[in-house]
Amino acid sequence: MEKEGSPQLKKEKELADLESLFSKVLDNLGGERDRQGLENTPLRVAKAMQFLTQGYDQDPAAIIRSAMFDEEYSQMVLVKDIEVYSLCEHHMLPFFGKAHLAYIPNGRIVGLSKLPRIVDVFARRLQVQERLTNQIRDCIQETLDPIGVAVVIEAQHMCMQMRGVQKQNSVTTTSAFHGEFLEQRTREEFVNLISAKLH
Ligand SMILES: [Zn+2]
């Protein structure tokens, strides 16, 4: 017999706990608790929050390692406009936008679909945009060991736009560079490429 139960059972218990907690949250907000539409809301919110934080159970380095290939390509590999949806850790409200990633291979490349996947793994945790940016860079650097890595994220934060200062159209940009991208010339090439409308 396992002491802690299976991961599946643990998730089910977590879901039931979250449901009852969100039920209490609803009791404390608005006083419209009897409306039919709200009846199953605590369970729906619990499931949504489990989904939006599932990145804690996933290993981004393993995702990259699952698709690394020896290849002598040595120019910049750039994937831009990757959609990012995350939750800010201060308000648990969404922030979302685009990520642009680049690396310069050092004898190894990674399957291109893995880059958006690791963005999702880190984004589906409670985050600040700055740490999200650094974590993506560090994960690529540590697993693929390329000559350089660059990550830029542009995002809108609902905690700014819907509340607080209510700056409706502000976009926050963060960046993280490593290796060759610390050189101004390479960084400029990357920034020009992500700014250009090539498609
Ligand atoms: Zn926030």
Side-chain angles (χ1 to χ4, degrees):
M1 268 251 320
E2 289 176 67
K3 271 194 204 133
E4 312 247 323
S6 70
Q8 181 63 27
L9 279 176
K10 203 171 148 239
K11 279 279 155 202
E12 279 169 22
K13 176 169 187 314
E14 182 188 274
L15 186 65
D17 288 349
L18 286 170
E19 181 185 4
S20 81
L21 291 167
F22 282 120
S23 185
K24 290 201 183 75
V25 170
L26 273 192
D27 288 341
N28 282 279
L29 296 173
E32 288 190 298
R33 199 60 182 87
D34 296 336
R35 220 142 42 74
Q36 194 187 24
L38 289 173
E39 199 179 320
N40 292 318
T41 295
L43 179 61
R44 282 191 294 262
V45 176
K47 284 181 176 170
M49 293 310 290
Q50 272 191 333
F51 180 88
L52 295 174
T53 57
Q54 65 182 297
Y56 288 114
D57 300 325
Q58 297 166 338
D59 179 356
I63 291 172
I64 291 190
R65 279 195 293 267
S66 73
M68 292 200 307
F69 309 102
D70 294 336
E71 193 63 59
E72 284 314 311
Y73 184 83
S74 59
Q75 299 301 307
M76 187 185 304
V77 177
L78 169 70
V79 182
K80 61 183 209 174
D81 296 334
I82 300 170
E83 286 177 51
V84 177
Y85 297 94
S86 190
L87 290 175
C88 88
E89 69 183 13
H90 302 130
H91 306 92
M92 294 177 72
L93 287 171
F95 66 94
F96 60 91
K98 299 268 168 75
H100 316 291
L101 316 186
Y103 71 97
I104 301 170
N106 188 14
R108 275 191 306 197
I109 58 169
V110 61
L112 288 177
S113 68
K114 304 305 175 196
L115 295 174
R117 279 195 57 202
I118 67 159
V119 170
D120 276 347
V121 169
F122 285 117
R124 286 175 182 158
R125 300 176 182 190
L126 298 179
Q127 279 289 6
V128 296
Q129 186 179 330
E130 294 88 338
R131 187 173 65 241
L132 174 62
T133 310
N134 283 344
Q135 284 178 335
I136 294 166
R137 175 200 59 191
D138 293 346
C139 179
I140 297 170
Q141 182 61 39
E142 285 160 16
T143 51
L144 199 58
D145 194 25
I147 292 168
V149 181
V151 180
V152 166
I153 298 179
E154 308 167 280
Q156 297 177 271
H157 291 250
M158 289 304 102
C159 61
M160 274 178 78
Q161 298 191 351
M162 296 176 71
R163 57 168 286 289
V165 291
Q166 295 183 338
K167 294 293 180 215
Q168 305 282 335
N169 292 305
S170 62
V171 174
T172 304
T173 303
T174 48
S175 58
F177 301 103
H178 189 274
E180 185 66 24
F181 287 94
L182 297 171
E183 302 292 327
Q184 191 182 357
R185 201 172 49 83
T186 312
R187 199 164 61 235
E188 275 175 9
E189 186 188 343
F190 168 72
V191 170
N192 286 339
L193 283 169
I194 64 174
S195 312
K197 287 271 166 272
L198 296 175
H199 52 269

